[in-house]
Amino acid sequence: MSSNSSSSDYLLKQVRSHEVAVAELNGLSSSRAVYQRNGNLFFRTTIQKATAFEQKQLDAAKATLQKLS
C-alpha cells in the first residue's frame, strides 16, 4: 500500500510540474527562444514543440495516475 501511495504522490507532482510548464510556455511571446531537456542535454526548440511535448507528458502522467486509482 505504501508503494502505491508514494507512486501516486510522485505522479501528482509530475502532473503539477507539467501543468506549470504548459502554463509558463503559453505565457511566452512567440519570439522567445526555449530549450527542452533531452537526457542531460538541452536543445533549442520552438514554443509550440515544447508545449506539445509537455502536454504529451502531462497526458501520460494523468493516464498512469488514473490506472493506479
Side-chain angles (χ1 to χ4, degrees):
M1 184 77 175
S2 64
S3 66
N4 191 15
S5 66
S6 64
S7 296
S8 294
D9 290 344
Y10 173 75
L11 283 170
L12 280 171
K13 287 180 184 178
Q14 289 292 96
V15 166
R16 287 191 183 105
S17 173
H18 292 302
E19 287 174 341
V20 168
V22 169
E24 289 288 333
L25 286 165
N26 287 333
L28 293 176
S29 69
S30 60
S31 61
R32 261 324 263 274
V34 294
Y35 292 85
Q36 183 175 335
R37 187 175 184 166
N38 189 357
N40 289 332
L41 302 174
F42 289 86
F43 295 95
R44 188 173 178 163
T45 188
T46 64
I47 292 173
Q48 292 81 11
K49 287 181 182 178
T51 303
F53 176 78
E54 287 295 329
Q55 189 63 50
K56 183 178 169 185
Q57 295 292 333
L58 174 60
D59 294 342
K62 283 183 178 179
T64 305
L65 188 60
Q66 266 188 335
K67 286 180 186 176
L68 287 178
S69 297

